[in-house]
């Protein structure tokens, strides 16, 4: 795709963002039906709502008249009750939904909300486990609490690193580093694939079992497990260039993805589902991979990073051409939907997370973020 094609895809997504904003009068979008684009909303955003707030910050950058900054601030206000809940996953929402507003526009309300969430995450750190556990309010169907961990909990690190920089807080920095190191040690396998979850002994931190909340099986590689590992190691490599460990991990898990993703670059929901190639794809995991690749390209620089820059561009092109509506003539669905997202196919997931073929708001966020970067609205490495 050319730059003009990326711009065209970005503009399609802006149409969808405006439609979603106009429909989101009380809650925040979670997932939408592929057939007609109708959203399922949550009152406070659940773990995903910050992705939509993040879209609104970026949309203001792209078209400030159509997307006044008050849109993002109003959506962020709906998330604020989550800032001190005991869940490691709030790092995702308050980085993209709040810290982003401070980074791009110096918004004080957004900065304060992000600080509140970051301090709460810092206080959740358990030295016996060497990490921030999922927490009693974590958004999973089961197996959450004081001694449960998952690769998803790396979502805390982007927010912690940003807040540590802003506050000059060395303890918060150490919490982020220790948490990240421990979670990666627990969940990145020797072959560089990723297992989603683990149960620990609350007194010793010893691993009692590894498993998956959302993948095919306890020994499979769920697409988004690999995706979160790629995203947050690459983000850490970008914001902490003097720490080679994060670059090493990012290269390992991203290279695994590159070597195992299908030829069309759009991942299946789980790399080990025996029903491949007739099972669900997951465009959300694929969009995360693109965003991770752009971060790693920035961290490595124009030489070593060229491989990952090119992979990100090819991945975004595949999503834009094959899954971003309209996909072909006569497609009457809302413009700019990223179709083909799979929350999970597991029957024991939360009812709100069982969509196997949908637009997932976080997948749409990461595709839009990638397009914003590829079209030059945000410099590589800034967010």
């Amino acid at each position: 795709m050319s730059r003009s094609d990326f711009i065209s895809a970005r503009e399609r997504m802006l149409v969808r963002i405006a439609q979603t904003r106009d429909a989101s009068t009380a809650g925040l979008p979670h997932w939408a039906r592929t057939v007609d684009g109708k959203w399922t909303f949550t009152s406070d955003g659940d773990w995903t709502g910050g992705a939509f707030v993040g879209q609104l910050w970026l949309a203001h950058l792209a078209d400030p008249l159509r997307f006044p900054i008050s849109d993002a601030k109003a959506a962020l206000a709906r998330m604020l009750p989550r800032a001190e809940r005991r869940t490691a996953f709030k790092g995702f929402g308050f980085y993209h939904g709040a810290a982003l507003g401070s980074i791009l526009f110096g918004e004080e309300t957004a900065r304060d909300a992000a600080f509140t969430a970051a301090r709460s995450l810092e206080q959740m750190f358990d030295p016996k486990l060497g990490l921030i556990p999922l927490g009693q309010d974590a958004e999973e169907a089961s197996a959450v609490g004081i001694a449960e961990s998952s690769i998803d909990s790396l979502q805390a690190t982007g927010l912690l690193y940003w807040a540590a920089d802003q506050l000059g807080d060395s303890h918060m920095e150490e919490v982020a580093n220790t948490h990240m190191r421990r979670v990666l040690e627990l969940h990145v396998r020797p072959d560089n694939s990723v297992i989603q979850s683990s149960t620990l002994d609350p007194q010793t931190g010893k691993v009692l079992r590894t498993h998956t909340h959302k993948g095919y099986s306890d020994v499979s590689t769920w697409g988004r497990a690999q995706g979160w590992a790629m995203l947050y190691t690459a983000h850490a490599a970008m914001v902490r260039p003097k720490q080679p460990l994060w670059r090493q991990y990012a290269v390992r898990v991203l290279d695994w993805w590159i070597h195992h993703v299908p030829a069309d670059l759009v991942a299946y929901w789980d790399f080990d589902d025996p029903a491949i190639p007739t099972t669900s794809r997951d465009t959300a995991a694929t969009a995360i991979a693109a965003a991770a690749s752009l971060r790693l390209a920035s961290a490595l620089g124009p030489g070593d990073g060229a491989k990952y820059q090119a992979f990100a561009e090819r991945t975004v092109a595949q999503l834009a051409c094959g899954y971003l509506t309209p996909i072909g003539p006569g497609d009457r669905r809302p413009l700019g939907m990223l179709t083909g997202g799979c929350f999970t196919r597991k029957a024991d997931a939360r009812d709100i997370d069982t969509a196997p073929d949908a637009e997932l708001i976080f997948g749409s966020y990461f595709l839009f973020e990638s397009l914003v970067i590829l079209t030059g609205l945000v410099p590589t490495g800034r967010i």
Side-chain angles (χ1 to χ4, degrees), residues 1-2 6 254-255 257-267 286-287 289-291 293-294 305-323 367 370-371 374:
M1 286 178 75
S2 67
F6 286 135
L254 261 159
D255 281 353
W257 179 281
I258 291 169
H259 294 148
H260 289 82
V261 77
D264 65 4
L265 306 185
V266 180
T286 305
S293 296
L294 288 173
K307 163 186 172 180
Y308 302 100
Q309 179 74 27
F311 181 76
E313 292 178 8
R314 293 198 308 273
T315 300
V316 169
Q318 289 292 98
L319 291 173
C321 292
Y323 293 87
L367 178 58
S370 298
L371 288 166
L374 291 172

Side-chain angles (χ1 to χ4, degrees), residues 248-283:
Q248 293 164 11
Y249 264 112
V251 167
R252 287 169 54 190
V253 294
L254 261 159
D255 281 353
W256 188 94
W257 179 281
I258 291 169
H259 294 148
H260 289 82
V261 77
D264 65 4
L265 306 185
V266 180
Y268 292 100
W269 77 287
D270 191 295
F271 283 86
D272 297 299
D273 185 344
I276 290 172
T278 59
T279 193
S280 298
R281 301 286 186 136
D282 187 8
T283 57

